[in-house]
């Protein structure tokens, strides 16, 4: 981000005329002199202000929000008991003791964020995730190791992994896409012989991914074991309004799914050139979502390991929701998990 800001600054400076550049230089000099005079006149006030700023930034908004919510109603991560007492501090964090099972813990014990370091950098890291920042760029920008950047990414994504749309309404588009099975980053225990990069991609196993998306940009997705109606029903049962209409291409599994769940089904025979029914029923939106998803995974991250594919599906869902994901929303979603459901450690 600093590099982008600097590049934009240089580009802006390069377009100035000589007269504009001299005016800008004089203004910056006057501002610098004024800041020196203000610093000399306020002395201790400036030092106190700097101390307050450093103290405020020693913890992130995300950590503060989680700590305050948990303190209101602490729950034991071992037995889910509510008879909790305070049990001193460790690393400046309040610890608790369950009076039922005698276990001691802190706010983050038994959650995806347990043992994550540098909490003062969490908010900035989440900001980078809203811009799909890569691991190496994140590590460089926030001053952490590549391993830490990787761990943070997947622990934060684990929190939002199950944030699926509760119900799809109105016109819903349904289709499957496929990703090549990948063992990216895995060096041992491969279920197949190792091979050089660039081999025939048609020989690799294809992983089917279901995407259902309504016209309000609410999305349901999931990795399928196979393309059967039972597997589709496992992901979509109770998630599609029976008053809605589902558009999908001609497939026996789709027809059986419509019979099981009882929604109106518009079947498109795309192989025969039928792409739109009655002017409004089509699957162009979900196909565009597939295309953008593959471009995002392949272009930005150069492919992802199949074991982590659910995390990236969740990440993309939030980035393409009706309300664009920002840092405040990310913090809110993580905090809401602490409020309303017990997190499972990874």
């Amino acid at each position: 981000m600093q590099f982008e800001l600097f590049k934009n600054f240089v580009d802006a400076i390069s377009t100035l005329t000589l007269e504009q550049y001299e005016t800008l230089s004089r203004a910056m000099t006057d501002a610098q002199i004024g800041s020196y005079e203000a610093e000399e006149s306020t002395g201790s006030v400036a030092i106190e202000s700097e101390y307050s700023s450093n103290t405020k930034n020693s913890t992130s908004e995300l950590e503060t929000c989680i700590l305050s919510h948990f303190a209101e109603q602490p729950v034991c991560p071992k037995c889910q008991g509510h008879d909790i007492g305070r049990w001193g501090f460790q690393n400046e964090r309040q610890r608790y003791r369950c009076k039922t099972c005698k276990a001691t813990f802190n706010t983050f014990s038994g959650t995806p964020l347990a043992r994550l370091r540098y909490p003062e950098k969490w908010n900035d890291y989440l900001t980078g995730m809203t811009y799909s920042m890569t691991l190496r760029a994140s590590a460089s920008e926030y001053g952490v190791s590549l391993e830490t950047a990787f761990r943070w990414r997947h622990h934060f994504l684990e929190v939002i992994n199950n944030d699926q749309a509760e119900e799809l309404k109105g016109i819903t588009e349904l289709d499957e896409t496929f990703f090549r099975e990948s063992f990216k980053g895995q060096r041992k225990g491969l279920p197949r012989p190792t091979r050089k990069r660039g081999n025939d991609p048609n020989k690799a196993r294809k992983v089917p991914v279901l995407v259902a998306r309504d016209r309000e940009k609410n999305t349901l997705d999931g990795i399928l074991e196979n393309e059967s109606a039972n597997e589709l029903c496992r992901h979509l049962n109770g998630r599609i309004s029976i008053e809605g209409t589902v558009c999908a291409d001609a497939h026996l599994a789709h027809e059986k799914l419509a019979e099981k769940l009882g929604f109106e089904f518009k079947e498109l025979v795309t192989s025969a050139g039928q792409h739109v029914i009655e002017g409004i029923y089509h699957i162009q939106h979900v196909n565009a979502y597939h295309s953008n998803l593959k471009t995002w995974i392949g272009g930005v991250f150069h492919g992802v390991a199949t074991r982590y594919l659910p995390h990236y599906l969740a990440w993309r869902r939030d980035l393409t929701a009706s309300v664009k994901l920002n840092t405040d929303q990310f913090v809110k979603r993580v905090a809401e998990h602490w409020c309303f459901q017990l997190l499972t450690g990874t």
Side-chain angles (χ1 to χ4, degrees), residues 112-113 115-122 124-126 129 135 142 144 146-158:
L113 302 189
R115 298 184 179 86
L116 293 190
R117 308 307 183 207
Y118 314 115
E120 68 278 4
K121 299 181 180 181
W122 289 354
D124 293 335
Y125 188 84
L126 291 179
M129 290 186 67
L135 289 177
Y142 306 120
V144 297
L146 190 62
E147 181 182 356
T148 297
F150 176 84
R151 186 183 304 113
W152 283 5
R153 170 184 288 182
H154 289 287
H155 280 235
F156 284 129
L157 291 178
E158 179 67 24

Side-chain angles (χ1 to χ4, degrees), residues 237-258:
N237 189 19
R239 296 296 188 91
I240 298 180
S241 172
I242 59 174
E243 298 178 355
T245 302
V246 175
C247 308
D249 55 8
H251 195 288
L252 183 59
H254 297 161
E255 296 174 3
K256 291 183 177 180
L257 177 68

Side-chain angles (χ1 to χ4, degrees), residues 202-221:
N202 295 323
K203 294 181 179 180
R205 187 176 79 88
K206 300 298 190 300
V207 179
V209 173
L210 162 73
V211 177
R213 188 172 172 87
D214 64 20
R215 299 292 168 85
E216 299 298 324
K217 298 184 179 180
N218 299 311
T219 307
L220 276 168
D221 55 39

Side-chain angles (χ1 to χ4, degrees), residues 82-115:
H82 293 273
D83 192 5
I84 306 297
R86 296 179 182 273
W87 198 255
F89 288 84
Q90 185 179 21
N91 297 328
E92 300 182 358
R93 281 183 181 169
Q94 176 70 56
R95 290 192 65 81
Y96 301 89
R97 184 172 185 266
C98 178
K99 297 180 181 179
T100 303
C101 66
K102 311 303 181 184
T104 60
F105 53 91
N106 65 21
T107 304
F108 300 94
S109 298
T111 72
L113 302 189
R115 298 184 179 86

Side-chain angles (χ1 to χ4, degrees), residues 133-302:
M133 186 176 286
T134 61
L135 289 177
R136 295 186 186 278
S138 299
S140 175
E141 177 71 20
Y142 306 120
V144 297
S145 68
L146 190 62
E147 181 182 356
T148 297
F150 176 84
R151 186 183 304 113
W152 283 5
R153 170 184 288 182
H154 289 287
H155 280 235
F156 284 129
L157 291 178
E158 179 67 24
V159 174
I160 65 171
N161 190 42
N162 295 321
D163 282 354
Q164 301 269 12
E166 294 183 0
E167 186 179 47
L168 302 179
K169 301 179 180 179
I171 300 177
T172 298
E173 301 177 22
L174 169 67
D175 201 6
E176 296 84 31
T177 189
F178 296 88
F179 287 86
R180 182 182 178 184
E181 187 178 36
S182 172
F183 299 94
K184 183 178 180 180
Q186 187 172 341
R187 297 291 181 267
K188 298 180 180 179
L190 290 174
R192 55 163 176 75
T194 58
R195 59 169 179 259
K196 292 184 178 180
R197 184 182 304 172
N199 282 14
D200 186 3
N202 295 323
K203 294 181 179 180
R205 187 176 79 88
K206 300 298 190 300
V207 179
V209 173
L210 162 73
V211 177
R213 188 172 172 87
D214 64 20
R215 299 292 168 85
E216 299 298 324
K217 298 184 179 180
N218 299 311
T219 307
L220 276 168
D221 55 39
I223 297 178
L224 304 175
E225 296 181 1
N226 51 64
E227 298 178 77
S228 67
N230 290 334
E231 182 68 5
L232 294 176
C233 188
R234 182 173 68 87
H235 286 272
L236 298 175
N237 189 19
R239 296 296 188 91
I240 298 180
S241 172
I242 59 174
E243 298 178 355
T245 302
V246 175
C247 308
D249 55 8
H251 195 288
L252 183 59
H254 297 161
E255 296 174 3
K256 291 183 177 180
L257 177 68
E259 293 177 1
K260 287 186 175 183
L261 300 187
F263 53 73
E264 183 181 0
F265 179 51
K266 297 292 184 179
E267 187 178 42
L268 299 160
V269 187
T270 54
S271 60
Q274 185 184 34
H275 300 287
V276 182
I277 298 177
E278 301 175 20
I280 57 173
Y281 300 113
H282 56 77
I283 56 173
Q284 296 171 11
H285 292 140
V286 73
N287 285 338
Y289 185 89
H290 287 166
S291 178
N292 293 333
L293 174 65
K294 290 187 173 182
T295 301
W296 182 69
I297 288 179
V300 177
F301 305 109
H302 303 289

